[in-house]
Amino acid sequence: MSLRKVRFGLKWKVALLLALLLISVLVVLSTLVLAGIREDQRVRLEQSFAHEAEAANLRVHQEFLTNTNNEMQPDAFMESVGQRLAVDLGSQSGMAVTLYKLDGTFTGTSLPFQPKMDVKDALAHTEEGRSAYITEGDQLLYLAPLRNMDEQIGTIQFHASLAEQHAFYERIRKLFLVTGMSVLAAGFLIGYLYVWRQVHVISRLNLAAQQIGEGAYLSEPTVKRQDELGELAQGIFEMSGRISSSVSQLTEEKLKLLDAIERLQELEQQQKQFIGNISHELKTPLTSILAYADLLDLYRDDPELLEEARTRIRKEAQRLYGLVEKALQLSSMDIYEFETHAESIELKPILEEATARLQAKAEQNNITIQSNLTDGKVWADADNLMHMMLNLLDNGIKYNKPGGTVTLTNEVQDQQGVDRMVIRVSDTGIGIPDHARERIFDPFYTVSSDRSRVYGGTGLGLSLVRSLAEKQHGSVHLTETGPGGSTFIITLPMDRPRPEEIRSAEESPDLE
């Protein structure tokens, strides 16, 4: 069984701090108020006793004046009228009164019994002309000098009860205690709820920060407030947007880098394959030429062999020349990108010229070239476009059947809201098998090596056409294969393409 660690969170810390502050304020406030009450009671008692002492002195003076023997000494005067005077003064003040002579001797009291408190020290103070207090429990004795004019004749003692003052003080103290506890409880509860709300907001901000750290970026501020926490939430939201944008850019750059690496790897592999294929393709006609050259040395007197060797050497040399020329064209396309000069050109004259150039070869092979051309402009390099058309028409003638036809057409099509020129080259030849359809545009790929040697194919023509089409921001596709022939479609932009149109055309071309 695992013990869960208790978390002394911010709300508890702030609530405890608030409680301590409330307790401190209540303690200090109650202490000061209660001390003020005590001081007020003391001052009021002093004023009351001082007033009663002054009234008592006035009464003594009156008594002394009305006495028949004005020459009587103070001690004799106190001895003669002390008891009666004490009762009168007690009745006048409403408090118990006791009188003493100058030497502290008891002379009279309004109490039915004599107080048992020791007042010797207090009497010593009054003899010096000063007042004195004696308190014991709820009882208070106030002793003051008793004078006749400026002559001290004794001491007067007032006996008062402090029970009412003590009860009042105790009620105030209990009131402070009850009120303080109520205020403390209410203040703690209100403070805890307020702090809990703020901590809840902070927890939401913390959760938002964790989500950002995990890659879940915010779509809106977590908290909407018109204070510092609201500003913090807005700052976290803006930070989330900036981080999201930066991460997206980094991801895009990473993908571009991976694509570049993949492309470099593909290019490296293509380069190796290109070198291997070109070596093999170059070796084949050279081997044939060397073989016939050796036969010429051995059979110089054989006219038929000489004629056959001459024909074969010439044919292999032409094949070798075409192979080298197309290989150089492919190589120069990858290296000299700047040599492609695209512009707006009329398409129909170029197609007519390409047809005219191959008309003689078509007639030699008993092939008919048909064309159905329309006017229109395309954005392309005229030389590159001519190379593309000559290659496709030449293939249509070479791999056709005697008496067959090659059809050339063009039309404008709306592809994803953009007008593009579509050129079709169809033939009625031997066709391309389905298994070769995906690789027909790879360099040096031929459907059949025997067929390529018979017709003089090098496997570079269609690869050259695809590369040239891509340079014009267009595309080339094989759409129909089989015994009935093949159809190649070239799609070219009619105006200078925008970047988004280029991407759209390359990603999803319309083949209809």
Side-chain angles (χ1 to χ4, degrees):
M1 180 179 180
S2 60
L3 296 177
R4 184 179 179 182
K5 184 178 179 181
V6 179
R7 183 183 177 187
F8 194 60
L10 179 62
K11 57 178 176 291
W12 289 107
K13 293 180 181 179
V14 177
L16 180 60
L17 176 61
L18 181 61
L20 293 176
L21 290 176
L22 288 173
I23 292 174
S24 302
V25 171
L26 289 173
V27 169
V28 172
L29 182 62
S30 61
T31 302
L32 292 177
V33 171
L34 292 175
I37 292 175
R38 281 188 179 276
E39 182 64 19
D40 181 71
Q41 288 178 338
R42 184 188 66 79
V43 171
R44 288 178 179 275
L45 282 173
E46 285 183 355
Q47 292 176 350
S48 176
F49 284 135
H51 176 73
E52 294 298 334
E54 183 178 355
N57 285 328
L58 181 61
R59 177 71 178 83
V60 169
H61 180 63
Q62 291 175 352
E63 184 67 29
F64 196 87
L65 291 177
T66 58
N67 194 290
T68 57
N69 187 4
N70 293 334
E71 300 297 331
M72 186 179 294
Q73 295 296 320
D75 287 345
F77 175 77
M78 294 296 295
E79 189 70 30
S80 64
V81 299
Q83 180 60 39
R84 179 176 58 83
L85 187 60
V87 173
D88 290 345
L89 291 175
S91 204
Q92 176 182 327
S93 64
M95 291 182 289
V97 175
T98 302
L99 299 178
Y100 299 93
K101 295 188 290 186
L102 285 174
D103 60 359
T105 305
F106 173 79
T107 60
T109 181
S110 64
L111 292 173
F113 54 89
Q114 183 70 16
K116 296 182 180 181
M117 295 184 186
D118 186 6
V119 296
K120 291 182 180 180
D121 294 337
L123 290 172
H125 279 77
T126 60
E127 289 178 2
E128 298 175 358
R130 297 179 296 175
S131 300
Y133 290 95
I134 298 177
T135 58
E136 183 175 339
D138 291 337
Q139 302 300 316
L140 170 66
L141 299 180
Y142 176 77
L143 289 86
L146 190 63
R147 293 183 175 88
N148 177 30
M149 298 300 287
D150 295 333
E151 181 185 10
Q152 184 173 345
I153 64 175
T155 300
I156 183 171
Q157 170 186 297
F158 293 100
H159 188 175
S161 174
L162 299 177
E164 185 177 350
Q165 287 84 350
H166 287 173
F168 176 75
Y169 181 85
E170 187 65 22
R171 286 197 302 272
I172 297 299
R173 189 183 67 83
K174 289 182 178 179
L175 179 62
F176 266 105
L177 182 62
V178 174
T179 305
M181 294 299 295
S182 301
V183 171
L184 177 62
F188 179 82
L189 179 60
I190 294 173
Y192 178 81
L193 293 177
Y194 177 79
V195 173
W196 179 86
R197 182 182 178 185
Q198 308 308 314
V199 171
H200 178 66
V201 172
I202 295 175
S203 299
R204 291 174 62 184
L205 295 177
N206 183 39
L207 179 61
Q210 293 178 357
Q211 291 176 347
I212 294 174
E214 295 173 357
Y217 303 107
L218 306 180
S219 58
E220 61 180 358
T222 306
V223 178
K224 296 181 179 179
R225 296 164 56 114
Q226 300 299 324
D227 56 8
E228 288 77 2
L229 290 177
E231 294 176 357
L232 178 60
Q234 183 66 29
I236 292 177
F237 170 68
E238 293 175 356
M239 178 189 68
S240 173
R242 289 192 293 268
I243 293 177
S244 176
S245 177
S246 299
V247 171
S248 298
Q249 292 177 0
L250 290 176
T251 302
E252 290 179 2
E253 294 299 327
K254 179 182 178 181
L255 293 176
K256 290 180 181 178
L257 181 59
L258 292 176
D259 290 340
I261 293 174
E262 184 179 358
R263 180 58 180 165
L264 287 175
Q265 292 174 345
E266 292 178 357
L267 290 175
E268 182 182 6
Q269 185 64 30
Q270 289 177 4
Q271 184 182 28
K272 293 179 180 179
Q273 184 179 2
F274 181 85
I275 294 174
N277 290 338
I278 195 67
S279 299
H280 175 74
E281 294 295 331
L282 291 174
K283 183 179 179 181
T284 302
L286 288 174
T287 302
S288 179
I289 291 173
L290 290 174
Y292 279 104
D294 292 339
L295 288 176
L296 289 176
D297 289 336
L298 295 176
Y299 304 98
R300 295 182 179 180
D301 54 351
D302 189 342
E304 293 181 1
L305 180 59
L306 291 176
E307 182 61 24
E308 181 181 358
R310 184 188 65 81
T311 302
R312 296 299 298 177
I313 290 174
R314 180 179 180 82
K315 186 174 181 180
E316 293 295 336
Q318 289 176 345
R319 183 167 178 265
L320 182 60
Y321 178 81
L323 182 65
V324 173
E325 183 181 23
K326 290 187 178 180
L328 290 175
Q329 288 177 345
L330 284 175
S331 177
S332 64
M333 284 173 50
D334 291 332
I335 297 175
Y336 304 107
E337 292 280 347
F338 57 86
E339 290 187 355
T340 297
H341 303 289
E343 59 183 346
S344 181
I345 58 175
E346 289 289 345
L347 176 64
K348 186 175 180 180
I350 295 177
L351 298 182
E352 290 175 345
E353 182 180 353
T355 303
R357 287 188 184 185
L358 293 174
Q359 188 64 43
K361 184 174 182 178
E363 293 176 355
Q364 292 176 359
N365 290 273
N366 194 20
I367 302 298
T368 302
I369 299 180
Q370 299 177 350
S371 61
N372 184 13
L373 306 178
T374 60
D375 294 327
K377 291 185 177 182
V378 294
W379 186 266
D381 183 291
D383 292 337
N384 290 344
L385 182 56
M386 181 61 71
H387 279 297
M388 295 161 58
M389 300 314 303
L390 290 176
N391 272 282
L392 291 180
L393 291 172
D394 186 62
N395 284 345
I397 294 171
K398 286 192 299 184
Y399 300 107
N400 214 320
K401 299 176 181 178
T405 59
V406 176
T407 304
L408 175 62
T409 62
N410 71 300
E411 63 178 339
V412 178
Q413 286 189 0
D414 183 355
Q415 297 181 356
Q416 299 182 351
V418 179
D419 288 338
R420 299 176 71 85
M421 183 65 72
V422 177
I423 306 171
R424 285 185 174 83
V425 180
S426 303
D427 64 70
T428 58
I430 58 179
I432 299 174
D434 291 339
H435 71 271
R437 185 173 182 177
E438 297 297 328
R439 298 189 58 193
I440 196 65
F441 293 99
D442 292 344
F444 297 105
Y445 179 80
T446 56
V447 177
S448 172
S449 58
D450 294 337
R451 187 174 72 168
S452 296
R453 288 191 177 90
V454 171
Y455 294 102
T458 62
L460 292 176
L462 292 178
S463 177
L464 178 62
V465 171
R466 182 181 63 178
S467 298
L468 291 173
E470 291 174 353
K471 284 184 178 294
Q472 322 306 312
H473 304 299
S475 61
V476 59
H477 302 280
L478 174 64
T479 61
E480 297 179 8
T481 62
S486 304
T487 298
F488 289 89
I489 294 181
I490 297 177
T491 304
L492 295 173
M494 299 185 68
D495 298 306
R496 180 190 294 270
R498 296 189 297 271
E500 59 270 19
E501 294 176 356
I502 296 172
R503 289 193 297 269
S504 175
E506 291 177 349
E507 293 173 358
S508 56
D510 191 345
L511 301 181
E512 294 181 2

mmCIF file of all heavy atoms in Angstrom, residues 453-488:
data_model
loop_
_atom_site.group_PDB
_atom_site.id
_atom_site.type_symbol
_atom_site.label_atom_id
_atom_site.label_comp_id
_atom_site.label_asym_id
_atom_site.label_seq_id
_atom_site.Cartn_x
_atom_site.Cartn_y
_atom_site.Cartn_z
ATOM 1 N N ARG A 453 16.801 -3.489 -80.598
ATOM 2 C CA ARG A 453 17.892 -3.595 -81.572
ATOM 3 C C ARG A 453 17.346 -3.609 -83.001
ATOM 4 O O ARG A 453 17.943 -3.050 -83.913
ATOM 5 C CB ARG A 453 18.691 -4.867 -81.296
ATOM 6 C CG ARG A 453 19.537 -4.754 -80.017
ATOM 7 C CD ARG A 453 20.509 -5.910 -79.901
ATOM 8 N NE ARG A 453 21.343 -5.751 -78.732
ATOM 9 C CZ ARG A 453 21.059 -6.216 -77.526
ATOM 10 N NH1 ARG A 453 19.931 -6.875 -77.352
ATOM 11 N NH2 ARG A 453 21.868 -6.023 -76.514
ATOM 12 N N VAL A 454 16.177 -4.267 -83.152
ATOM 13 C CA VAL A 454 15.614 -4.318 -84.501
ATOM 14 C C VAL A 454 15.227 -2.930 -84.967
ATOM 15 O O VAL A 454 15.493 -2.531 -86.110
ATOM 16 C CB VAL A 454 14.383 -5.266 -84.533
ATOM 17 C CG1 VAL A 454 13.670 -5.150 -85.872
ATOM 18 C CG2 VAL A 454 14.841 -6.696 -84.267
ATOM 19 N N TYR A 455 14.617 -2.130 -84.058
ATOM 20 C CA TYR A 455 14.119 -0.816 -84.435
ATOM 21 C C TYR A 455 15.089 0.304 -84.084
ATOM 22 O O TYR A 455 14.779 1.471 -84.289
ATOM 23 C CB TYR A 455 12.770 -0.554 -83.746
ATOM 24 C CG TYR A 455 11.672 -1.466 -84.229
ATOM 25 C CD1 TYR A 455 11.269 -2.562 -83.469
ATOM 26 C CD2 TYR A 455 11.048 -1.232 -85.445
ATOM 27 C CE1 TYR A 455 10.256 -3.394 -83.892
ATOM 28 C CE2 TYR A 455 10.028 -2.069 -85.889
ATOM 29 C CZ TYR A 455 9.644 -3.144 -85.115
ATOM 30 O OH TYR A 455 8.646 -3.971 -85.532
ATOM 31 N N GLY A 456 16.240 -0.052 -83.518
ATOM 32 C CA GLY A 456 17.237 0.972 -83.217
ATOM 33 C C GLY A 456 16.934 1.762 -81.967
ATOM 34 O O GLY A 456 17.372 2.906 -81.834
ATOM 35 N N GLY A 457 16.167 1.222 -81.022
ATOM 36 C CA GLY A 457 15.828 1.950 -79.804
ATOM 37 C C GLY A 457 16.966 1.942 -78.799
ATOM 38 O O GLY A 457 17.722 0.965 -78.692
ATOM 39 N N THR A 458 17.070 3.039 -78.047
ATOM 40 C CA THR A 458 18.130 3.149 -77.022
ATOM 41 C C THR A 458 17.559 3.168 -75.614
ATOM 42 O O THR A 458 18.307 3.072 -74.647
ATOM 43 C CB THR A 458 18.924 4.450 -77.220
ATOM 44 O OG1 THR A 458 18.034 5.563 -77.054
ATOM 45 C CG2 THR A 458 19.543 4.494 -78.594
ATOM 46 N N GLY A 459 16.253 3.334 -75.436
ATOM 47 C CA GLY A 459 15.662 3.417 -74.105
ATOM 48 C C GLY A 459 15.788 4.797 -73.482
ATOM 49 O O GLY A 459 15.513 4.961 -72.294
ATOM 50 N N LEU A 460 16.236 5.802 -74.246
ATOM 51 C CA LEU A 460 16.421 7.151 -73.716
ATOM 52 C C LEU A 460 15.401 8.148 -74.254
ATOM 53 O O LEU A 460 15.270 9.247 -73.714
ATOM 54 C CB LEU A 460 17.829 7.663 -74.033
ATOM 55 C CG LEU A 460 18.977 6.960 -73.312
ATOM 56 C CD1 LEU A 460 20.303 7.500 -73.804
ATOM 57 C CD2 LEU A 460 18.865 7.122 -71.813
ATOM 58 N N GLY A 461 14.693 7.808 -75.284
ATOM 59 C CA GLY A 461 13.793 8.765 -75.931
ATOM 60 C C GLY A 461 12.673 9.229 -75.018
ATOM 61 O O GLY A 461 12.449 10.436 -74.837
ATOM 62 N N LEU A 462 11.918 8.287 -74.425
ATOM 63 C CA LEU A 462 10.807 8.668 -73.569
ATOM 64 C C LEU A 462 11.275 9.337 -72.284
ATOM 65 O O LEU A 462 10.601 10.230 -71.749
ATOM 66 C CB LEU A 462 9.946 7.436 -73.242
ATOM 67 C CG LEU A 462 9.168 6.849 -74.425
ATOM 68 C CD1 LEU A 462 8.393 5.610 -73.995
ATOM 69 C CD2 LEU A 462 8.223 7.893 -75.009
ATOM 70 N N SER A 463 12.437 8.920 -71.762
ATOM 71 C CA SER A 463 12.994 9.601 -70.591
ATOM 72 C C SER A 463 13.310 11.056 -70.918
ATOM 73 O O SER A 463 13.076 11.960 -70.107
ATOM 74 C CB SER A 463 14.254 8.873 -70.119
ATOM 75 O OG SER A 463 14.849 9.544 -69.039
ATOM 76 N N LEU A 464 13.837 11.285 -72.131
ATOM 77 C CA LEU A 464 14.123 12.643 -72.573
ATOM 78 C C LEU A 464 12.826 13.448 -72.713
ATOM 79 O O LEU A 464 12.763 14.617 -72.306
ATOM 80 C CB LEU A 464 14.863 12.594 -73.913
ATOM 81 C CG LEU A 464 15.195 13.943 -74.560
ATOM 82 C CD1 LEU A 464 16.121 14.741 -73.668
ATOM 83 C CD2 LEU A 464 15.795 13.731 -75.935
ATOM 84 N N VAL A 465 11.779 12.832 -73.261
ATOM 85 C CA VAL A 465 10.494 13.519 -73.414
ATOM 86 C C VAL A 465 9.928 13.925 -72.046
ATOM 87 O O VAL A 465 9.451 15.051 -71.852
ATOM 88 C CB VAL A 465 9.495 12.622 -74.166
ATOM 89 C CG1 VAL A 465 8.095 13.234 -74.139
ATOM 90 C CG2 VAL A 465 9.942 12.407 -75.603
ATOM 91 N N ARG A 466 9.971 13.019 -71.077
ATOM 92 C CA ARG A 466 9.447 13.341 -69.750
ATOM 93 C C ARG A 466 10.219 14.494 -69.114
ATOM 94 O O ARG A 466 9.632 15.414 -68.543
ATOM 95 C CB ARG A 466 9.504 12.114 -68.837
ATOM 96 C CG ARG A 466 8.936 12.378 -67.448
ATOM 97 C CD ARG A 466 9.015 11.167 -66.552
ATOM 98 N NE ARG A 466 10.396 10.778 -66.308
ATOM 99 C CZ ARG A 466 10.770 9.769 -65.517
ATOM 100 N NH1 ARG A 466 9.839 9.037 -64.938
ATOM 101 N NH2 ARG A 466 12.044 9.479 -65.337
ATOM 102 N N SER A 467 11.561 14.451 -69.208
ATOM 103 C CA SER A 467 12.369 15.515 -68.614
ATOM 104 C C SER A 467 12.073 16.858 -69.265
ATOM 105 O O SER A 467 11.944 17.879 -68.597
ATOM 106 C CB SER A 467 13.855 15.172 -68.756
ATOM 107 O OG SER A 467 14.167 13.988 -68.058
ATOM 108 N N LEU A 468 11.937 16.867 -70.603
ATOM 109 C CA LEU A 468 11.644 18.114 -71.291
ATOM 110 C C LEU A 468 10.245 18.640 -70.943
ATOM 111 O O LEU A 468 10.039 19.852 -70.797
ATOM 112 C CB LEU A 468 11.756 17.914 -72.807
ATOM 113 C CG LEU A 468 13.187 17.671 -73.346
ATOM 114 C CD1 LEU A 468 13.138 17.323 -74.825
ATOM 115 C CD2 LEU A 468 14.056 18.898 -73.109
ATOM 116 N N ALA A 469 9.276 17.727 -70.798
ATOM 117 C CA ALA A 469 7.916 18.142 -70.443
ATOM 118 C C ALA A 469 7.884 18.771 -69.049
ATOM 119 O O ALA A 469 7.226 19.791 -68.821
ATOM 120 C CB ALA A 469 6.965 16.952 -70.511
ATOM 121 N N GLU A 470 8.614 18.168 -68.109
ATOM 122 C CA GLU A 470 8.646 18.717 -66.754
ATOM 123 C C GLU A 470 9.312 20.088 -66.729
ATOM 124 O O GLU A 470 8.949 20.953 -65.938
ATOM 125 C CB GLU A 470 9.366 17.742 -65.819
ATOM 126 C CG GLU A 470 8.575 16.456 -65.574
ATOM 127 C CD GLU A 470 9.358 15.440 -64.756
ATOM 128 O OE1 GLU A 470 10.559 15.688 -64.507
ATOM 129 O OE2 GLU A 470 8.766 14.418 -64.359
ATOM 130 N N LYS A 471 10.305 20.285 -67.600
ATOM 131 C CA LYS A 471 10.949 21.591 -67.669
ATOM 132 C C LYS A 471 9.996 22.669 -68.167
ATOM 133 O O LYS A 471 10.175 23.854 -67.872
ATOM 134 C CB LYS A 471 12.191 21.520 -68.567
ATOM 135 C CG LYS A 471 13.381 20.839 -67.900
ATOM 136 C CD LYS A 471 14.586 20.885 -68.799
ATOM 137 C CE LYS A 471 15.779 20.244 -68.096
ATOM 138 N NZ LYS A 471 16.195 21.015 -66.919
ATOM 139 N N GLN A 472 8.993 22.293 -68.930
ATOM 140 C CA GLN A 472 8.006 23.260 -69.399
ATOM 141 C C GLN A 472 6.831 23.376 -68.413
ATOM 142 O O GLN A 472 5.815 23.973 -68.743
ATOM 143 C CB GLN A 472 7.447 22.840 -70.775
ATOM 144 C CG GLN A 472 8.436 22.231 -71.754
ATOM 145 C CD GLN A 472 9.650 23.105 -72.002
ATOM 146 O OE1 GLN A 472 9.516 24.289 -72.258
ATOM 147 N NE2 GLN A 472 10.834 22.503 -71.934
ATOM 148 N N HIS A 473 6.980 22.799 -67.202
ATOM 149 C CA HIS A 473 5.911 22.771 -66.199
ATOM 150 C C HIS A 473 4.699 22.013 -66.737
ATOM 151 O O HIS A 473 3.551 22.359 -66.446
ATOM 152 C CB HIS A 473 5.494 24.186 -65.774
ATOM 153 C CG HIS A 473 6.629 25.014 -65.267
ATOM 154 N ND1 HIS A 473 7.358 24.657 -64.164
ATOM 155 C CD2 HIS A 473 7.166 26.171 -65.734
ATOM 156 C CE1 HIS A 473 8.300 25.567 -63.950
ATOM 157 N NE2 HIS A 473 8.216 26.479 -64.909
ATOM 158 N N GLY A 474 4.994 20.997 -67.551
ATOM 159 C CA GLY A 474 3.944 20.154 -68.084
ATOM 160 C C GLY A 474 4.146 18.713 -67.672
ATOM 161 O O GLY A 474 4.854 18.408 -66.705
ATOM 162 N N SER A 475 3.545 17.795 -68.427
ATOM 163 C CA SER A 475 3.649 16.375 -68.094
ATOM 164 C C SER A 475 3.394 15.554 -69.347
ATOM 165 O O SER A 475 2.839 16.039 -70.338
ATOM 166 C CB SER A 475 2.628 16.003 -67.006
ATOM 167 O OG SER A 475 1.310 16.245 -67.466
ATOM 168 N N VAL A 476 3.806 14.279 -69.286
ATOM 169 C CA VAL A 476 3.566 13.343 -70.367
ATOM 170 C C VAL A 476 3.125 12.032 -69.741
ATOM 171 O O VAL A 476 3.675 11.612 -68.713
ATOM 172 C CB VAL A 476 4.818 13.154 -71.251
ATOM 173 C CG1 VAL A 476 5.993 12.642 -70.442
ATOM 174 C CG2 VAL A 476 4.512 12.225 -72.424
ATOM 175 N N HIS A 477 2.116 11.407 -70.346
ATOM 176 C CA HIS A 477 1.556 10.184 -69.787
ATOM 177 C C HIS A 477 1.196 9.219 -70.909
ATOM 178 O O HIS A 477 0.846 9.626 -72.014
ATOM 179 C CB HIS A 477 0.295 10.489 -68.971
ATOM 180 C CG HIS A 477 0.528 11.445 -67.857
ATOM 181 N ND1 HIS A 477 1.081 11.080 -66.654
ATOM 182 C CD2 HIS A 477 0.295 12.781 -67.792
ATOM 183 C CE1 HIS A 477 1.166 12.140 -65.877
ATOM 184 N NE2 HIS A 477 0.698 13.189 -66.544
ATOM 185 N N LEU A 478 1.295 7.937 -70.586
ATOM 186 C CA LEU A 478 0.846 6.865 -71.469
ATOM 187 C C LEU A 478 -0.547 6.474 -71.011
ATOM 188 O O LEU A 478 -0.749 6.048 -69.882
ATOM 189 C CB LEU A 478 1.805 5.671 -71.373
ATOM 190 C CG LEU A 478 1.401 4.408 -72.125
ATOM 191 C CD1 LEU A 478 1.359 4.665 -73.627
ATOM 192 C CD2 LEU A 478 2.368 3.274 -71.794
ATOM 193 N N THR A 479 -1.522 6.642 -71.869
ATOM 194 C CA THR A 479 -2.910 6.428 -71.449
ATOM 195 C C THR A 479 -3.538 5.178 -72.041
ATOM 196 O O THR A 479 -4.501 4.668 -71.491
ATOM 197 C CB THR A 479 -3.772 7.632 -71.841
ATOM 198 O OG1 THR A 479 -3.751 7.789 -73.267
ATOM 199 C CG2 THR A 479 -3.252 8.905 -71.193
ATOM 200 N N GLU A 480 -3.046 4.695 -73.135
ATOM 201 C CA GLU A 480 -3.643 3.502 -73.740
ATOM 202 C C GLU A 480 -2.535 2.569 -74.204
ATOM 203 O O GLU A 480 -1.577 2.984 -74.854
ATOM 204 C CB GLU A 480 -4.531 3.875 -74.943
ATOM 205 C CG GLU A 480 -5.727 4.735 -74.578
ATOM 206 C CD GLU A 480 -6.548 5.099 -75.803
ATOM 207 O OE1 GLU A 480 -6.249 4.539 -76.878
ATOM 208 O OE2 GLU A 480 -7.463 5.922 -75.668
ATOM 209 N N THR A 481 -2.641 1.302 -73.857
ATOM 210 C CA THR A 481 -1.675 0.289 -74.289
ATOM 211 C C THR A 481 -2.413 -0.943 -74.751
ATOM 212 O O THR A 481 -3.588 -1.135 -74.454
ATOM 213 C CB THR A 481 -0.724 -0.082 -73.134
ATOM 214 O OG1 THR A 481 -1.492 -0.642 -72.059
ATOM 215 C CG2 THR A 481 0.045 1.125 -72.632
ATOM 216 N N GLY A 482 -1.695 -1.816 -75.433
ATOM 217 C CA GLY A 482 -2.298 -3.059 -75.885
ATOM 218 C C GLY A 482 -2.012 -3.308 -77.353
ATOM 219 O O GLY A 482 -1.280 -2.560 -78.004
ATOM 220 N N PRO A 483 -2.568 -4.345 -77.874
ATOM 221 C CA PRO A 483 -2.311 -4.698 -79.279
ATOM 222 C C PRO A 483 -2.744 -3.625 -80.252
ATOM 223 O O PRO A 483 -2.241 -3.541 -81.367
ATOM 224 C CB PRO A 483 -3.140 -5.983 -79.465
ATOM 225 C CG PRO A 483 -3.359 -6.510 -78.082
ATOM 226 C CD PRO A 483 -3.424 -5.312 -77.190
ATOM 227 N N GLY A 484 -3.697 -2.775 -79.819
ATOM 228 C CA GLY A 484 -4.195 -1.768 -80.741
ATOM 229 C C GLY A 484 -3.324 -0.534 -80.815
ATOM 230 O O GLY A 484 -3.684 0.434 -81.478
ATOM 231 N N GLY A 485 -2.185 -0.492 -80.145
ATOM 232 C CA GLY A 485 -1.308 0.667 -80.209
ATOM 233 C C GLY A 485 -1.195 1.396 -78.882
ATOM 234 O O GLY A 485 -1.662 0.920 -77.844
ATOM 235 N N SER A 486 -0.578 2.557 -78.936
ATOM 236 C CA SER A 486 -0.324 3.353 -77.736
ATOM 237 C C SER A 486 -0.744 4.796 -77.983
ATOM 238 O O SER A 486 -0.713 5.281 -79.117
ATOM 239 C CB SER A 486 1.159 3.307 -77.365
ATOM 240 O OG SER A 486 1.598 1.975 -77.203
ATOM 241 N N THR A 487 -1.091 5.490 -76.898
ATOM 242 C CA THR A 487 -1.437 6.908 -76.963
ATOM 243 C C THR A 487 -0.667 7.649 -75.866
ATOM 244 O O THR A 487 -0.799 7.316 -74.674
ATOM 245 C CB THR A 487 -2.946 7.133 -76.765
ATOM 246 O OG1 THR A 487 -3.660 6.479 -77.829
ATOM 247 C CG2 THR A 487 -3.270 8.620 -76.775
ATOM 248 N N PHE A 488 0.121 8.627 -76.274
ATOM 249 C CA PHE A 488 0.853 9.472 -75.330
ATOM 250 C C PHE A 488 0.216 10.857 -75.328
ATOM 251 O O PHE A 488 -0.107 11.410 -76.381
ATOM 252 C CB PHE A 488 2.326 9.579 -75.733
ATOM 253 C CG PHE A 488 3.104 8.311 -75.521
ATOM 254 C CD1 PHE A 488 3.170 7.344 -76.518
ATOM 255 C CD2 PHE A 488 3.751 8.076 -74.321
ATOM 256 C CE1 PHE A 488 3.879 6.177 -76.333
ATOM 257 C CE2 PHE A 488 4.460 6.901 -74.120
ATOM 258 C CZ PHE A 488 4.529 5.949 -75.124
#
